[in-house]
Amino acid sequence: MEAQIRIGDRTLSYQLRRSARRRTIAIEIHPRDGLVVHSTARVNLEGLHEFLLQKADWILATTERQAQAQARAPVVSWENGSRVPLRGEAVALRVEPGAARPAVSLEAEGILVRTPPEDGLFPAGERVRTLVVGWLRQHAAEVVAARVQAYLPRLEVQPRTVRVREQKRRWGSCSAGGALNFNWRLILAPAEVLDYVVVHELCHLKELNHSPRFWAQVAGILPAYREPRAWLRNNSLLLDI
């Protein structure tokens, strides 16, 4: 259900998602979906709006931060000389067409993309994007696996599986059975952000919740975890390529 609320001199639209299983009201602000309110099944709009007005400062500040991030979001043209984010840096693409075999590699000058001769079936930019994203996903899988192994001795845990996947909203997840999943786009973020998500999910193997005990586990490994956590919250649009 879509609704609106007046906050100061602004009218904000939001998605209202009711659930009979929910006992509290929760607010999320997604880069794509905007303001999303999760509520109990019986709450009326008057009571809901009173709650939202109490959170007005946070809602407006978060909305403004995301608008600023969206203005800074990269526009990748997927051609020679274009830049893509990698490990928090803007890295140049070097496109060499006409290769006998397509390949992508990381060189000192940037990401080298060797593309096959044009066949008219796919636009050149789409072909380059497909090759680069495929390479980024593979690179992400290698880096995530290495960072998981680096932190395992300190946490004394063992995940059942570690996978890097395409995920719309989640940066990482941990199942009750010990399966860890990570969003491949983490390879675009600064190294400390990827490490934070890795540690976050590994700590869920000990505490499958967000209790004070869980956050104490995270802080024991990454005392400054709040900084990469805030970066990810405020800059996720920079990773949308």
Side-chain angles (χ1 to χ4, degrees), residues 5-21:
I5 182 172
R6 187 77 176 176
I7 299 179
D9 59 353
R10 296 182 59 183
T11 299
L12 299 181
S13 298
Y14 65 92
Q15 293 290 327
L16 176 57
R17 299 174 183 173
R18 298 178 186 269
S19 172
R21 299 170 60 184

Side-chain angles (χ1 to χ4, degrees), residues 64-82:
E64 178 61 25
R65 281 198 302 270
Q66 291 202 350
Q68 293 174 0
Q70 190 164 19
R72 294 184 286 114
V75 178
V76 182
S77 58
W78 303 106
E79 60 187 17
N80 189 53
S82 181

